[in-house]
Amino acid sequence: MELYIEKEFLDNFYLEFDESSASSSQKIVATILKEYAEVECFIDCEIESLAQLEFLKSENSFFKAICDKSKSPLAVKSIKDHFFEKSKCEQTLIFTQKNKDWFNEAERKGALCFSYENYQQKIENIVQKCHFKIDLSEGFQGWGFLNNLKNTPFNKILINDGYILTDKDSQKMSDNLIPILQNIMGKNYQTKTDVEIYTKDLNPPQPGTFEQIKSEVDKKLRRLNSVFANYQLSLKIISNTLQKGKYDFHDRLIYLNYLIIDSPRGFNLIPHKKSNSQLTVETIFEKYTYNRLRNHKKMHNDYLKKIVNLETLEFKFT
Protein backbone atom coordinates (compact mmCIF):
# COMPACT_ATOMS: atom_id res chain seq x y z
CA MET A 1 0.00 0.00 0.00
CA GLU A 2 1.02 3.58 -0.69
CA LEU A 3 0.03 6.07 1.99
CA TYR A 4 0.25 9.81 1.30
CA ILE A 5 -0.50 11.89 4.38
CA GLU A 6 -0.15 15.58 5.20
CA LYS A 7 1.58 16.26 8.50
CA GLU A 8 -1.24 18.63 9.43
CA PHE A 9 -3.75 15.78 9.03
CA LEU A 10 -1.56 13.41 11.04
CA ASP A 11 -1.07 15.91 13.87
CA ASN A 12 -4.76 16.77 14.09
CA PHE A 13 -5.69 13.09 14.00
CA TYR A 14 -3.28 12.40 16.86
CA LEU A 15 -4.63 15.31 18.95
CA GLU A 16 -8.25 14.29 18.44
CA PHE A 17 -7.98 10.52 18.68
CA ASP A 18 -9.29 8.95 21.89
CA GLU A 19 -9.47 5.17 21.88
CA SER A 20 -12.36 5.10 24.38
CA SER A 21 -14.62 7.34 22.31
CA ALA A 22 -13.26 6.99 18.77
CA SER A 23 -15.65 6.39 15.90
CA SER A 24 -15.35 3.23 13.83
CA SER A 25 -13.74 5.25 11.02
CA GLN A 26 -11.19 6.78 13.38
CA LYS A 27 -10.30 3.31 14.66
CA ILE A 28 -9.85 2.09 11.09
CA VAL A 29 -7.41 4.91 10.28
CA ALA A 30 -5.56 4.34 13.57
CA THR A 31 -5.19 0.65 12.73
CA ILE A 32 -3.89 1.46 9.25
CA LEU A 33 -1.29 3.83 10.70
CA LYS A 34 -0.22 1.54 13.54
CA GLU A 35 -0.65 -2.03 12.30
CA TYR A 36 -0.87 -2.41 8.52
CA ALA A 37 2.25 -4.04 7.12
CA GLU A 38 4.16 -3.18 3.94
CA VAL A 39 2.98 0.42 3.80
CA GLU A 40 5.12 2.88 1.86
CA CYS A 41 4.45 6.25 3.47
CA PHE A 42 4.98 9.75 2.04
CA ILE A 43 4.59 12.88 4.18
CA ASP A 44 4.91 16.57 3.35
CA CYS A 45 7.48 17.63 5.93
CA GLU A 46 11.22 17.93 5.87
CA ILE A 47 13.21 15.35 7.84
CA GLU A 48 16.76 16.63 7.69
CA SER A 49 18.39 14.74 10.55
CA LEU A 50 18.04 11.76 12.83
CA ALA A 51 17.45 14.14 15.73
CA GLN A 52 14.54 15.75 13.91
CA LEU A 53 13.13 12.32 13.10
CA GLU A 54 13.28 11.33 16.77
CA PHE A 55 11.59 14.58 17.74
CA LEU A 56 8.75 13.99 15.29
CA LYS A 57 8.32 10.48 16.68
CA SER A 58 8.22 11.80 20.24
CA GLU A 59 5.44 14.30 19.57
CA ASN A 60 3.10 12.01 17.60
CA SER A 61 2.63 8.33 18.47
CA PHE A 62 1.10 7.61 15.05
CA PHE A 63 4.18 8.99 13.30
CA LYS A 64 6.28 6.82 15.60
CA ALA A 65 4.17 3.76 14.76
CA ILE A 66 4.67 4.34 11.04
CA CYS A 67 8.43 4.52 11.57
CA ASP A 68 8.60 1.54 13.91
CA LYS A 69 6.77 -0.92 11.65
CA SER A 70 8.55 0.02 8.45
CA LYS A 71 11.17 2.32 7.06
CA SER A 72 10.76 6.01 7.90
CA PRO A 73 8.26 8.00 5.83
CA LEU A 74 9.67 9.60 2.72
CA ALA A 75 9.54 13.40 2.98
CA VAL A 76 8.06 15.01 -0.15
CA LYS A 77 7.65 18.70 -0.96
CA SER A 78 4.30 18.18 -2.66
CA ILE A 79 1.98 15.23 -2.18
CA LYS A 80 0.15 16.14 -5.36
CA ASP A 81 3.31 16.32 -7.51
CA HIS A 82 4.83 13.13 -6.10
CA PHE A 83 1.59 11.20 -6.51
CA PHE A 84 0.98 12.16 -10.14
CA GLU A 85 4.62 11.78 -11.13
CA LYS A 86 5.64 8.61 -9.28
CA SER A 87 2.72 6.73 -7.72
CA LYS A 88 2.17 3.15 -8.85
CA CYS A 89 -1.46 3.63 -7.84
CA GLU A 90 -2.01 -0.06 -7.26
CA GLN A 91 -3.44 0.62 -3.81
CA THR A 92 -3.05 4.23 -2.70
CA LEU A 93 -4.63 6.17 0.17
CA ILE A 94 -4.29 9.96 0.36
CA PHE A 95 -5.11 11.92 3.53
CA THR A 96 -4.95 15.73 3.48
CA GLN A 97 -6.19 18.40 5.85
CA LYS A 98 -8.44 20.07 3.28
CA ASN A 99 -10.26 18.79 0.24
CA LYS A 100 -8.15 19.23 -2.91
CA ASP A 101 -9.27 20.23 -6.39
CA TRP A 102 -7.15 17.38 -7.81
CA PHE A 103 -8.88 14.61 -5.82
CA ASN A 104 -11.25 13.67 -8.66
CA GLU A 105 -8.35 13.24 -11.06
CA ALA A 106 -6.44 11.19 -8.48
CA GLU A 107 -9.43 8.90 -7.95
CA ARG A 108 -9.83 8.42 -11.69
CA LYS A 109 -6.24 7.22 -11.63
CA GLY A 110 -7.18 4.75 -8.87
CA ALA A 111 -6.39 6.44 -5.54
CA LEU A 112 -8.73 6.82 -2.55
CA CYS A 113 -8.66 10.43 -1.31
CA PHE A 114 -9.77 11.81 2.06
CA SER A 115 -9.73 15.20 3.76
CA TYR A 116 -9.91 15.76 7.49
CA GLU A 117 -13.43 17.07 7.00
CA ASN A 118 -14.78 14.02 5.19
CA TYR A 119 -12.64 10.99 5.99
CA GLN A 120 -14.91 9.60 8.70
CA GLN A 121 -18.09 9.84 6.65
CA LYS A 122 -16.37 8.62 3.48
CA ILE A 123 -14.88 5.53 5.15
CA GLU A 124 -18.21 4.82 6.86
CA ASN A 125 -19.99 5.01 3.49
CA ILE A 126 -17.49 2.62 1.90
CA VAL A 127 -17.90 0.12 4.74
CA GLN A 128 -21.70 0.35 4.58
CA LYS A 129 -21.82 -0.05 0.80
CA CYS A 130 -18.97 -2.51 0.26
CA HIS A 131 -19.09 -4.88 3.25
CA PHE A 132 -21.97 -7.30 2.86
CA LYS A 133 -23.02 -10.92 2.43
CA ILE A 134 -25.58 -12.58 0.19
CA ASP A 135 -27.06 -15.85 1.42
CA LEU A 136 -27.44 -18.01 -1.68
CA SER A 137 -29.96 -20.25 0.10
CA GLU A 138 -32.38 -17.32 -0.07
CA GLY A 139 -32.06 -16.83 -3.82
CA PHE A 140 -29.99 -14.51 -5.98
CA GLN A 141 -31.34 -11.33 -7.55
CA GLY A 142 -28.59 -10.72 -10.08
CA TRP A 143 -25.46 -8.63 -10.35
CA GLY A 144 -26.93 -5.16 -9.78
CA PHE A 145 -25.56 -5.09 -6.23
CA LEU A 146 -22.08 -4.61 -7.70
CA ASN A 147 -23.06 -1.00 -8.43
CA ASN A 148 -22.33 -0.40 -4.74
CA LEU A 149 -18.64 -0.87 -5.47
CA LYS A 150 -18.46 2.46 -7.34
CA ASN A 151 -17.63 3.99 -3.93
CA THR A 152 -14.11 2.60 -4.30
CA PRO A 153 -11.97 3.55 -7.33
CA PHE A 154 -9.99 0.88 -9.13
CA ASN A 155 -7.74 0.40 -12.13
CA LYS A 156 -7.44 -3.39 -12.05
CA ILE A 157 -9.87 -6.29 -11.86
CA LEU A 158 -8.50 -9.78 -11.27
CA ILE A 159 -10.89 -12.72 -11.53
CA ASN A 160 -9.90 -16.23 -10.48
CA ASP A 161 -12.62 -18.71 -11.37
CA GLY A 162 -11.89 -21.91 -13.26
CA TYR A 163 -15.27 -21.91 -15.02
CA ILE A 164 -16.11 -18.23 -15.63
CA LEU A 165 -15.36 -18.59 -19.38
CA THR A 166 -17.02 -22.01 -19.84
CA ASP A 167 -20.03 -20.45 -21.64
CA LYS A 168 -22.38 -23.43 -21.61
CA ASP A 169 -26.18 -23.27 -21.47
CA SER A 170 -26.18 -23.26 -17.67
CA GLN A 171 -23.07 -21.07 -17.35
CA LYS A 172 -23.36 -18.32 -19.93
CA MET A 173 -20.92 -15.42 -20.08
CA SER A 174 -23.84 -13.19 -21.07
CA ASP A 175 -25.57 -13.98 -17.76
CA ASN A 176 -22.54 -13.82 -15.49
CA LEU A 177 -19.09 -12.57 -16.49
CA ILE A 178 -20.31 -9.84 -18.82
CA PRO A 179 -22.88 -8.29 -16.41
CA ILE A 180 -20.37 -8.68 -13.56
CA LEU A 181 -17.88 -6.51 -15.42
CA GLN A 182 -20.60 -4.13 -16.65
CA ASN A 183 -21.90 -3.54 -13.14
CA ILE A 184 -18.43 -3.13 -11.65
CA MET A 185 -17.35 -0.73 -14.39
CA GLY A 186 -20.59 1.24 -14.42
CA LYS A 187 -20.14 4.28 -16.64
CA ASN A 188 -16.41 4.59 -16.06
CA TYR A 189 -15.70 4.56 -19.77
CA GLN A 190 -12.55 6.66 -19.41
CA THR A 191 -10.93 4.65 -16.60
CA LYS A 192 -7.99 2.64 -17.87
CA THR A 193 -8.49 -0.79 -16.33
CA ASP A 194 -6.47 -4.00 -16.56
CA VAL A 195 -8.63 -7.13 -16.40
CA GLU A 196 -6.93 -10.47 -15.73
CA ILE A 197 -9.00 -13.65 -15.80
CA TYR A 198 -7.39 -16.77 -14.29
CA THR A 199 -9.36 -19.81 -15.41
CA LYS A 200 -9.12 -23.37 -16.77
CA ASP A 201 -12.33 -24.58 -18.46
CA LEU A 202 -12.60 -22.88 -21.85
CA ASN A 203 -15.04 -25.44 -23.28
CA PRO A 204 -13.02 -26.61 -26.30
CA PRO A 205 -13.68 -29.94 -28.03
CA GLN A 206 -12.63 -32.78 -25.74
CA PRO A 207 -9.84 -33.68 -25.56
CA GLY A 208 -8.73 -30.25 -26.76
CA THR A 209 -5.47 -29.68 -28.58
CA PHE A 210 -3.40 -26.58 -27.90
CA GLU A 211 -4.63 -25.06 -31.16
CA GLN A 212 -8.27 -25.73 -30.28
CA ILE A 213 -7.88 -24.27 -26.78
CA LYS A 214 -6.04 -21.21 -28.13
CA SER A 215 -8.81 -20.76 -30.70
CA GLU A 216 -11.44 -20.79 -27.91
CA VAL A 217 -9.42 -18.31 -25.86
CA ASP A 218 -9.12 -15.94 -28.81
CA LYS A 219 -12.83 -16.30 -29.54
CA LYS A 220 -13.79 -15.36 -25.99
CA LEU A 221 -11.28 -12.52 -25.93
CA ARG A 222 -12.73 -11.10 -29.15
CA ARG A 223 -16.22 -11.31 -27.69
CA LEU A 224 -15.24 -9.48 -24.51
CA ASN A 225 -13.35 -6.82 -26.46
CA SER A 226 -16.42 -6.33 -28.63
CA VAL A 227 -18.81 -5.97 -25.67
CA PHE A 228 -16.47 -3.53 -23.91
CA ALA A 229 -15.31 -1.66 -27.01
CA ASN A 230 -16.31 1.68 -25.45
CA TYR A 231 -14.26 1.02 -22.31
CA GLN A 232 -10.52 1.36 -21.88
CA LEU A 233 -10.02 -2.24 -20.83
CA SER A 234 -6.87 -4.29 -21.29
CA LEU A 235 -7.96 -7.94 -21.13
CA LYS A 236 -5.78 -10.96 -20.42
CA ILE A 237 -6.78 -14.62 -20.03
CA ILE A 238 -4.43 -16.80 -17.96
CA SER A 239 -4.47 -20.54 -17.23
CA ASN A 240 -4.59 -21.19 -13.48
CA THR A 241 -3.63 -24.89 -13.60
CA LEU A 242 0.05 -24.89 -14.58
CA GLN A 243 1.63 -24.96 -11.11
CA LYS A 244 -0.68 -27.37 -9.28
CA GLY A 245 2.02 -28.56 -6.92
CA LYS A 246 2.80 -25.02 -5.72
CA TYR A 247 -0.45 -23.07 -6.07
CA ASP A 248 -4.03 -24.09 -5.31
CA PHE A 249 -6.52 -21.69 -6.88
CA HIS A 250 -9.56 -23.62 -5.69
CA ASP A 251 -11.76 -20.78 -4.40
CA ARG A 252 -13.38 -18.35 -6.81
CA LEU A 253 -12.67 -14.68 -6.13
CA ILE A 254 -12.69 -11.25 -7.75
CA TYR A 255 -10.12 -8.69 -6.62
CA LEU A 256 -10.23 -4.93 -7.07
CA ASN A 257 -7.61 -2.52 -5.69
CA TYR A 258 -9.38 -2.14 -2.35
CA LEU A 259 -11.73 -5.11 -2.00
CA ILE A 260 -12.34 -8.82 -2.46
CA ILE A 261 -15.50 -10.54 -3.71
CA ASP A 262 -15.77 -14.17 -2.56
CA SER A 263 -18.02 -16.76 -4.16
CA PRO A 264 -16.94 -20.30 -3.10
CA ARG A 265 -19.55 -21.79 -5.44
CA GLY A 266 -18.24 -19.70 -8.33
CA PHE A 267 -19.51 -16.70 -10.27
CA ASN A 268 -21.76 -18.61 -12.68
CA LEU A 269 -24.76 -17.96 -10.44
CA ILE A 270 -27.37 -17.32 -13.14
CA PRO A 271 -29.51 -19.32 -13.70
CA HIS A 272 -29.58 -19.60 -9.93
CA LYS A 273 -29.88 -22.77 -7.92
CA LYS A 274 -30.33 -22.44 -4.19
CA SER A 275 -27.23 -23.56 -2.32
CA ASN A 276 -25.68 -23.58 1.13
CA SER A 277 -23.01 -21.12 -0.03
CA GLN A 278 -22.76 -17.34 0.23
CA LEU A 279 -21.27 -14.40 -1.63
CA THR A 280 -19.28 -11.88 0.41
CA VAL A 281 -17.68 -8.50 -0.28
CA GLU A 282 -15.09 -6.94 2.04
CA THR A 283 -12.62 -4.05 1.75
CA ILE A 284 -9.13 -3.34 3.02
CA PHE A 285 -10.69 -1.27 5.82
CA GLU A 286 -10.73 -4.56 7.65
CA LYS A 287 -7.14 -5.57 8.51
CA TYR A 288 -7.81 -9.26 7.81
CA THR A 289 -8.97 -8.42 4.27
CA TYR A 290 -6.02 -6.07 3.71
CA ASN A 291 -3.60 -8.87 4.59
CA ARG A 292 -5.55 -11.40 2.56
CA LEU A 293 -5.61 -9.18 -0.52
CA ARG A 294 -1.89 -8.48 -0.11
CA ASN A 295 -1.07 -12.19 0.16
CA HIS A 296 -3.27 -13.18 -2.77
CA LYS A 297 -1.78 -10.45 -4.95
CA LYS A 298 1.72 -11.77 -4.22
CA MET A 299 0.60 -15.31 -5.02
CA HIS A 300 -0.85 -14.31 -8.39
CA ASN A 301 2.20 -12.22 -9.27
CA ASP A 302 4.54 -15.08 -8.36
CA TYR A 303 2.44 -17.57 -10.30
CA LEU A 304 2.41 -15.41 -13.42
CA LYS A 305 6.18 -14.86 -13.26
CA LYS A 306 6.74 -18.62 -13.03
CA ILE A 307 4.55 -19.58 -15.97
CA VAL A 308 5.99 -16.89 -18.28
CA ASN A 309 9.18 -18.94 -18.65
CA LEU A 310 7.55 -22.33 -18.17
CA GLU A 311 8.26 -24.77 -20.99
CA THR A 312 4.96 -26.47 -21.74
CA LEU A 313 2.73 -27.44 -24.64
CA GLU A 314 -0.29 -26.35 -22.62
CA PHE A 315 -1.99 -22.98 -23.01
CA LYS A 316 -0.44 -20.36 -20.66
CA PHE A 317 -1.95 -16.93 -21.33
CA THR A 318 -2.90 -14.45 -24.00
Side-chain angles (χ1 to χ4, degrees), residues 239-244 303 307 310 312 314-317:
S239 170
N240 65 4
T241 64
L242 297 175
Q243 292 276 292
K244 293 179 182 178
Y303 174 83
I307 69 169
L310 185 68
T312 178
E314 298 181 64
F315 167 75
K316 295 198 294 185
F317 56 81

Side-chain angles (χ1 to χ4, degrees), residues 48-280:
E48 297 180 342
S49 66
L50 182 60
Q52 184 184 13
L53 176 63
E54 292 303 319
F55 174 75
L56 291 171
K57 289 164 66 174
S58 70
E59 68 173 4
N60 188 321
S61 61
F62 290 106
F63 186 90
K64 182 178 185 300
I66 292 170
C67 295
D68 288 350
K69 66 185 175 69
S70 61
K71 60 185 179 181
S72 298
L74 178 64
V76 297
K77 290 184 178 180
S78 167
I79 285 177
K80 174 186 175 182
D81 291 347
H82 191 278
F83 167 76
F84 283 107
E85 291 173 8
K86 298 184 178 181
S87 173
K88 301 173 185 176
C89 217
E90 295 174 351
Q91 190 181 81
T92 303
L93 305 183
I94 300 175
F95 293 92
T96 61
Q97 180 63 23
K98 295 181 180 179
N99 201 51
K100 305 294 184 180
D101 58 8
W102 47 268
F103 273 5
N104 287 339
E105 185 181 356
E107 294 207 335
R108 282 194 296 272
K109 189 177 177 182
L112 257 177
C113 303
F114 307 91
S115 70
Y116 201 78
E117 298 171 352
N118 73 16
Y119 81 93
Q120 293 192 62
Q121 186 61 53
K122 193 167 181 178
I123 290 174
E124 182 181 337
N125 287 342
I126 291 171
V127 171
Q128 287 180 348
K129 297 284 187 179
C130 303
H131 285 223
F132 57 91
K133 299 178 181 180
I134 296 176
D135 182 355
L136 296 178
S137 69
E138 294 182 348
F140 182 66
Q141 303 304 314
W143 299 107
F145 73 91
L146 293 173
N147 280 308
N148 290 334
L149 307 187
K150 63 185 178 183
N151 290 277
T152 60
F154 59 88
N155 52 34
K156 182 171 183 177
I157 302 170
L158 191 156
I159 301 172
N160 199 325
D161 182 332
Y163 304 94
I164 196 66
L165 292 177
T166 299
D167 208 30
K168 298 177 181 178
D169 287 342
S170 59
Q171 299 176 315
K172 286 188 174 295
M173 289 168 56
S174 59
D175 292 332
N176 296 289
L177 176 61
I178 289 172
I180 286 171
L181 291 174
Q182 287 172 330
N183 278 283
I184 290 176
M185 294 297 299
K187 296 181 179 180
N188 294 328
Y189 298 111
Q190 303 307 313
T191 301
K192 294 182 179 179
T193 305
D194 293 326
V195 179
E196 293 182 353
I197 301 172
Y198 288 73
T199 193
K200 62 181 180 181
D201 188 351
L202 296 156
N203 198 24
Q206 298 296 329
T209 65
F210 173 85
E211 289 75 16
Q212 290 171 324
I213 294 173
K214 184 64 167 58
S215 175
E216 285 296 317
V217 171
D218 292 341
K219 177 181 175 182
K220 290 172 170 62
L221 202 55
R222 286 195 299 271
R223 182 178 176 191
L224 290 171
N225 280 320
S226 176
V227 171
F228 294 98
N230 293 327
Y231 292 81
Q232 295 192 44
L233 297 190
S234 176
L235 289 152
K236 181 180 284 189
I237 297 172
I238 303 161
S239 170
N240 65 4
T241 64
L242 297 175
Q243 292 276 292
K244 293 179 182 178
K246 297 180 180 179
Y247 300 91
D248 183 358
F249 291 128
H250 176 272
D251 285 3
R252 293 86 180 273
L253 301 104
I254 297 175
Y255 309 87
L256 276 64
N257 299 57
Y258 304 96
L259 59 85
I260 299 177
I261 308 169
D262 269 273
S263 182
R265 185 176 173 272
F267 290 98
N268 286 319
L269 295 178
I270 296 176
H272 180 64
K273 296 178 182 178
K274 287 189 176 183
S275 74
N276 61 355
S277 190
Q278 64 178 351
L279 190 150
T280 64

